[in-house]
Amino acid sequence: MSSAAEHARLQGNDAFKDNNLPLALAHYSTAIQRDPSVSTYFLNRSLVHLKLDHLSEAARDASTALDLDGGVNPKALFRRALARKAQGNLDGARQDFELAKQQGAGDAVDRELADLLKVLQGDPNATRPQPAKPPSPSPSADRLRAALSPKPPPTPPPPRAPPAEADGFLRAVSTRRITPPVPTPAPSTTPIPAPAPVPAPSATSLEQHLLLTQPHDPSRLALLRALDPDPNALAAFMGDSLTPDLLGAILAELAPRFPFSSEGGEKEQAQERDTDWVVPLLRGLSRCRRFDSTVLFLDERERDVVRRVLGEAEKGLERTRNAWGL
């Protein structure tokens, strides 16, 4: 547990107490980035995701916390059960509630489990899960940084002119200046310094943007397409910042571009999908530091995205070979 990660967690706790959920989410994400081996950071962020109705993210963070603790974490099971229940996965929620109870969870689990069993048994008096609400919007990383910036002091209003005497007569108002006009200063010969260069985006800012914007926002895909796919350049850009959350968010943006049909087979599309930038990006990510450990956290759906991308690329190569008669 690093001191920097723990400091970010404490800042997240303070923001959570103030009900500033987007800020708490950002601080907990920073703690995870700095030390992804601590289950508490994922557990805390899972709770924030639940509050914001980010159900898939809440279940994922709870699962990661559970994996880090070797499958023994009643709080993680309870929060994943709540997320699954809200998603309509009642059987999965029941399994988590029962396992949390076996691991010594408190009365809240007993109440939730008893009510869920009534729902599964068709009891008309049971409290049924409400339909999932739309996720609460989160500010972009730029707006978050702007909110944290010190505010300039307010500009005082100009002094008001004294009211005219109320003597019952209309008074003519002179338009002549009371003070002579201020002369326009001569142009300065001092060269104006060039503006400071805007810092290039970092892997940290990329992760914050992907975590704090809505899925499939056009800006997310634009950022990924702008990454330099050269393995050396991408490895330098990522440094030690490639985390399971960042890699999962990248793959989540690619998933809708390479869909499967509802029957489980690959959906055929009339036009060939663009893999010219995706395959080099995947190749570059695989050369980044910490990739070998980060990829272990991917679930099967995320791995399927990579399979589909590479499958499309192989089909494109095969079509090119056939066109050349090779």
Side-chain angles (χ1 to χ4, degrees), residues 62-119:
S63 297
T64 302
L66 192 64
D67 291 340
L68 289 172
D69 288 342
V72 181
N73 189 322
K75 280 187 178 181
L77 287 165
F78 181 59
R79 289 175 188 171
R80 189 172 70 178
L82 292 176
R84 287 178 168 178
K85 179 182 175 183
Q87 289 176 306
N89 182 3
L90 302 187
D91 287 331
R94 176 184 58 80
Q95 294 173 8
D96 281 346
F97 281 137
E98 290 176 345
L99 191 54
K101 183 176 180 180
Q102 294 174 13
Q103 294 182 7
D107 295 338
V109 172
D110 292 334
R111 291 192 296 269
E112 288 282 352
L113 179 58
D115 195 64
L116 182 59
L117 290 176
K118 290 180 182 178
V119 173

Side-chain angles (χ1 to χ4, degrees), residues 21 49 81 93 95 104 107 133 154 174 239 258 270 310:
L21 299 181
H49 279 312
Q95 294 173 8
D107 295 338
K133 297 181 290 184
S174 172
F258 301 90
L310 298 181

Side-chain angles (χ1 to χ4, degrees), residues 6 11 22 40 50 59 104-105 107 114 118 217 250 265 267-268 293 316:
E6 187 62 13
Q11 288 180 306
T40 303
L50 274 176
D107 295 338
K118 290 180 182 178
D217 184 280
I250 291 173
K267 180 187 287 186
E268 294 295 339
S293 59

Side-chain angles (χ1 to χ4, degrees), residues 86-254:
Q87 289 176 306
N89 182 3
L90 302 187
D91 287 331
R94 176 184 58 80
Q95 294 173 8
D96 281 346
F97 281 137
E98 290 176 345
L99 191 54
K101 183 176 180 180
Q102 294 174 13
Q103 294 182 7
D107 295 338
V109 172
D110 292 334
R111 291 192 296 269
E112 288 282 352
L113 179 58
D115 195 64
L116 182 59
L117 290 176
K118 290 180 182 178
V119 173
L120 292 172
Q121 293 165 3
D123 188 336
N125 298 320
T127 304
R128 298 186 175 276
Q130 297 297 319
K133 297 181 290 184
S136 302
S138 299
S140 67
D142 290 338
R143 291 181 60 189
L144 182 61
R145 285 193 291 271
L148 294 173
S149 300
K151 304 294 188 296
T155 304
R160 299 182 60 181
E165 292 184 26
D167 56 2
F169 294 91
L170 294 176
R171 293 181 177 274
V173 179
S174 172
T175 59
R176 182 171 55 86
R177 292 179 182 269
I178 304 300
T179 58
V182 179
T184 303
S188 173
T189 58
T190 305
I192 300 175
V198 178
S202 63
T204 302
S205 63
L206 171 65
E207 181 176 32
Q208 279 192 329
H209 188 82
L210 292 177
L211 293 175
L212 296 179
T213 53
Q214 294 298 317
H216 316 314
D217 184 280
S219 65
R220 297 158 67 98
L221 191 62
L223 280 176
L224 295 182
R225 292 188 73 118
L227 292 176
D228 189 341
D230 177 76
N232 294 329
L234 192 58
F237 172 80
M238 288 294 178
D240 292 324
S241 299
L242 185 63
T243 64
D245 287 316
L246 177 54
L247 187 57
I250 291 173
L251 295 177
E253 286 306 307
L254 300 179

